[in-house]
Amino acid sequence: MTTKRWSNSSIQNIDDAMDALVEDYFHYDDLSNREAEYIKRNLADVNGEGNLILEEVDSANFNFPNEILQDIENAQNHEIDESDKENSSSSKWFRSVTDEDTDSFLALSVNKNTKTKTKSDLKVMLDFFISVGEMRDSVEIPAKDLDSLLSRFFLGVLKKNGDEYEPDSLSSMFNSLDRHLKDSKSSISIKKDPEFNHTRRVLEAKRKALKSLGKGSKPNRAEHLTTEEIQILREKGVIGTQNPDALLNAVFLNNATYFGLRGRQDHVNMTWGDVKLKATSDGKEYLEFNERSTKTRSGAKSRDFRDITPKIFGEGGSNCPIHVYKEYKRHRPQDTLTDEHRFYLRPLDNKHEEIWYTRQTIGKDKLGKMVKNMAEKGDLQGRKVNHSGRKTFATTLLQNGRPANEVAQLGGWKGISTLTHYSVPSIEQQQQASHTISKVMLPNSDLQTTSDSEEPCELSNSNTLVHNNLNANVSNTNNQTANKHDNPMAMFAGATITGVVFNINIYSGERKNTINCSQEL
């Protein structure tokens, strides 16, 4: 009997599978008959008689000889050993990973704050879906139905107290749902698909409507720290080197402000080895910070790192950040000075002469409120939080005329467009602007004028505009002092102008003064 030999690739459907099964049955039945005939023939040759009777025996009750069982076991063990060797050879290059492992790995790599925000936003949407009778998960809802639900959601959603959300909060919910759909491997994109044009238009119109109601001014944004506020913290003993709490606060505030660290996670991730005390060739000491994974530089791209490693240079004195760092190092337990140990340690309840801190690290919740607690102890006004340190870093440099691209590199921003939120006039600059406008609005009033040394600008013999802390005097080409009311540069007082050249012609009777302002302000 000749049977067709089937292979896995030749079986295309259920019919082929059934044919292969039937043919295998007849094939093995034929082999069984041949084997029985062969045994019968050999036994007949041995005793010379052909009257051998073969009987079927139940295999469950048949006892194989021990030698045969041992041979079978040895053969099976040999096959297992060979398989292990093959797997061991391949494991040198690859780990065994399943699809579930890849999903779990992606879930673990998501920022914790992003994960929490996404979960919170999805709960608000789910409550709305259930309220209108939609029980399906957003991933299972067809695009047309989901577009209808979302447009109604963004138009009608309110806070639990009945107030309207901020415009950015609605956009954040929109982004959270889009992120959830991507993570669920859905082919739907509510940001790009034309099926969701209606939702996007409703969201845009709702943002405009909220803006007209006074929303969107970011009332909860962090405020930077001023020189006066830092001095208040020192005078009240909130920051300093006199006790464990003040020293810890001083180190934290220095790291946040000089290194431009973000709210909480950057501080939570810091280890002692991330900050190194170094010196320049001429012996000038400085601290250098090695940044880890951050919100904007996660390492997902090859150039996700700061072009410049942040540094703090010594200034001398008891409040010098280098001195503060050394004091903090001196009062830590010796075994916590290893590179892998966490940077911020919990103060001892009863400090010893040298050791002020335990080996226990400070929790993330307390680290998240460090600046807020300092501000409360110092009775500072405004919203002062951890992010105020990073905002102080950027605002101080920008207000003192540092180029935006330089500030972006020092602070680790990927572009200078983000810095527009930090480039705001100081209180002094706003006061000068108000005073300048008052000269026009209150011409006959007794205005408080500035001293001669605080005049807006000055003309030197070379007719070049001299910028000196936004205040200078004006003189003509004959070195005669011009009246401040005739000063054409007064219109620029208090302004920050970079990268431009002014050519201004001044006419006063028969005299003609030409000012070529070519210096960057």
Side-chain angles (χ1 to χ4, degrees):
M1 178 179 180
T2 302
T3 60
K4 179 181 178 180
R5 304 303 299 153
W6 293 84
S7 63
N8 291 336
S9 59
S10 62
I11 297 177
Q12 303 296 330
N13 50 51
I14 188 63
D15 292 334
D16 290 344
M18 290 300 298
D19 290 342
L21 183 62
V22 171
E23 290 183 10
D24 281 346
Y25 172 79
F26 284 112
H27 173 68
Y28 288 111
D29 183 63
D30 181 58
L31 288 178
S32 178
N33 292 333
R34 289 184 185 184
E35 184 179 17
E37 183 65 27
Y38 176 78
I39 294 173
K40 179 179 179 181
R41 201 177 292 155
N42 279 305
L43 290 177
D45 291 339
V46 171
N47 55 25
E49 299 180 1
N51 56 352
L52 179 67
I53 300 175
L54 298 177
E55 296 181 356
E56 292 186 3
V57 178
D58 185 4
S59 60
N61 299 321
F62 183 77
N63 295 323
F64 285 94
N66 291 333
E67 295 81 1
I68 296 178
L69 293 176
Q70 186 64 44
D71 290 342
I72 294 174
E73 183 177 355
N74 292 337
Q76 292 175 341
N77 291 336
H78 178 72
E79 292 178 358
I80 293 174
D81 292 340
E82 291 297 323
S83 176
D84 289 343
K85 289 180 180 179
E86 183 177 351
N87 293 335
S88 176
S89 176
S90 63
S91 66
K92 294 179 180 179
W93 298 97
F94 305 103
R95 290 195 300 268
S96 178
V97 178
T98 64
D99 289 339
E100 290 75 13
D101 293 333
T102 61
D103 293 336
S104 299
F105 179 75
L106 289 176
L108 290 174
S109 65
V110 177
N111 183 278
K112 291 183 179 180
N113 293 335
T114 302
K115 187 184 299 183
T116 302
K117 183 67 170 67
T118 302
K119 185 177 180 179
S120 175
D121 290 343
L122 290 177
K123 184 180 183 305
V124 177
M125 292 187 179
L126 179 62
D127 290 343
F128 169 75
F129 290 173
I130 294 175
S131 69
V132 296
E134 179 56 72
M135 300 299 178
R136 292 173 292 181
D137 187 273
S138 55
V139 181
E140 302 172 352
I141 302 176
K144 182 178 180 180
D145 296 342
L146 185 59
D147 178 56
S148 174
L149 286 169
L150 291 178
S151 59
R152 293 159 58 193
F153 169 78
F154 286 116
L155 181 60
V157 65
L158 296 170
K159 294 181 180 180
K160 288 184 178 180
N161 61 2
D163 293 342
E164 293 280 2
Y165 278 98
E166 291 289 324
D168 286 350
S169 297
L170 296 182
S171 296
S172 179
M173 293 180 184
F174 182 82
N175 293 333
S176 292
L177 179 58
D178 186 70
R179 187 162 47 247
H180 171 67
L181 293 173
K182 288 181 180 179
D183 293 342
S184 302
K185 301 180 181 180
S186 172
S187 59
I188 291 177
S189 174
I190 61 176
K191 284 186 175 182
K192 300 178 181 179
D193 292 349
E195 291 84 355
F196 295 92
N197 281 337
H198 185 62
T199 294
R200 293 192 289 267
R201 290 174 58 195
V202 169
L203 177 58
E204 181 181 0
K206 182 65 178 290
R207 286 181 58 95
K208 292 179 179 178
L210 292 175
K211 183 64 177 178
S212 66
L213 296 176
K215 296 285 186 178
S217 58
K218 297 184 181 295
N220 295 324
R221 59 186 171 189
E223 298 180 11
H224 69 277
L225 295 164
T226 65
T227 304
E228 293 77 12
E229 289 172 333
I230 297 295
Q231 188 60 31
I232 290 174
L233 294 179
R234 286 202 176 97
E235 291 174 353
K236 293 188 175 184
V238 179
I239 59 175
T241 58
Q242 65 273 20
N243 59 65
D245 290 323
L247 180 57
L248 180 66
N249 289 338
V251 170
F252 186 96
L253 197 57
N254 285 341
N255 289 341
T257 305
Y258 282 96
F259 294 144
L261 301 186
R262 290 171 181 82
R264 182 182 74 175
Q265 199 60 39
D266 287 2
H267 294 279
V268 173
N269 293 339
M270 275 186 70
T271 64
W272 184 252
D274 290 344
V275 180
K276 297 289 187 181
L277 180 60
K278 298 183 178 182
T280 61
S281 300
D282 58 356
K284 184 72 172 179
E285 287 186 320
Y286 65 89
L287 295 172
E288 184 175 78
F289 174 61
N290 177 37
E291 184 181 64
R292 293 173 177 263
S293 174
T294 64
K295 178 181 177 181
T296 56
R297 299 188 184 275
S298 61
K301 298 181 180 179
S302 59
R303 296 236 2 126
D304 266 0
F305 58 87
R306 286 198 191 189
D307 294 325
I308 300 175
T309 53
K311 298 176 179 62
I312 305 176
F313 285 87
E315 301 292 345
S318 60
N319 295 324
C320 171
I322 303 296
H323 173 70
V324 172
Y325 171 83
K326 290 180 178 180
E327 285 295 294
Y328 184 57
K329 178 180 179 180
R330 183 168 69 89
H331 292 300
R332 288 171 64 104
Q334 189 64 32
D335 56 358
T336 64
L337 300 179
T338 56
D339 287 351
E340 67 276 4
H341 208 93
R342 291 296 178 184
F343 194 90
Y344 300 104
L345 300 180
R346 187 181 298 277
L348 285 168
D349 294 332
N350 298 311
K351 69 176 183 178
H352 301 284
E353 183 176 352
E354 289 294 330
I355 304 303
W356 288 4
Y357 301 94
T358 70
R359 293 173 177 82
Q360 185 179 3
T361 58
I362 298 178
K364 61 181 181 180
D365 292 335
K366 183 175 180 179
L367 284 177
K369 299 178 181 179
M370 288 288 287
V371 175
K372 181 181 178 181
N373 291 337
M374 294 183 214
E376 291 177 352
K377 293 178 181 178
D379 294 325
L380 303 184
Q381 301 301 312
R383 188 171 185 265
K384 304 298 190 297
V385 292
N386 281 6
H387 192 70
S388 297
R390 184 168 175 82
K391 192 158 189 177
T392 303
F393 168 90
T395 303
T396 301
L397 293 177
L398 291 171
Q399 288 181 355
N400 283 273
R402 305 311 303 172
N405 61 334
E406 176 185 310
V407 178
Q409 289 182 329
L410 290 172
W413 283 277
K414 289 187 175 181
I416 62 175
S417 59
T418 310
L419 293 178
T420 56
H421 301 293
Y422 300 93
S423 181
V424 295
S426 65
I427 293 295
E428 292 77 10
Q429 291 171 332
Q430 295 178 50
Q431 185 177 0
Q432 288 180 3
S434 176
H435 184 70
T436 301
I437 296 173
S438 294
K439 292 179 182 179
V440 176
M441 300 300 295
L442 307 172
N444 298 322
S445 300
D446 294 331
L447 299 176
Q448 182 180 357
T449 58
T450 57
S451 63
D452 292 339
S453 61
E454 296 178 343
E455 290 291 81
C457 55
E458 175 182 330
L459 292 176
S460 66
N461 289 333
S462 59
N463 295 329
T464 303
L465 179 66
V466 179
H467 178 265
N468 182 18
N469 295 330
L470 299 177
N471 299 304
N473 293 325
V474 175
S475 63
N476 59 20
T477 55
N478 296 322
N479 293 324
Q480 296 176 347
T481 302
N483 187 288
K484 63 182 180 181
H485 298 294
D486 297 328
N487 173 21
M489 305 309 296
M491 68 181 75
F492 301 117
T496 301
I497 307 173
T498 60
V500 296
V501 175
F502 293 97
N503 293 305
I504 303 175
N505 296 325
I506 305 173
Y507 293 93
S508 178
E510 297 179 354
R511 183 185 64 185
K512 175 181 178 181
N513 294 335
T514 301
I515 307 172
N516 185 5
C517 305
S518 59
Q519 180 173 336
E520 284 193 359
L521 299 183

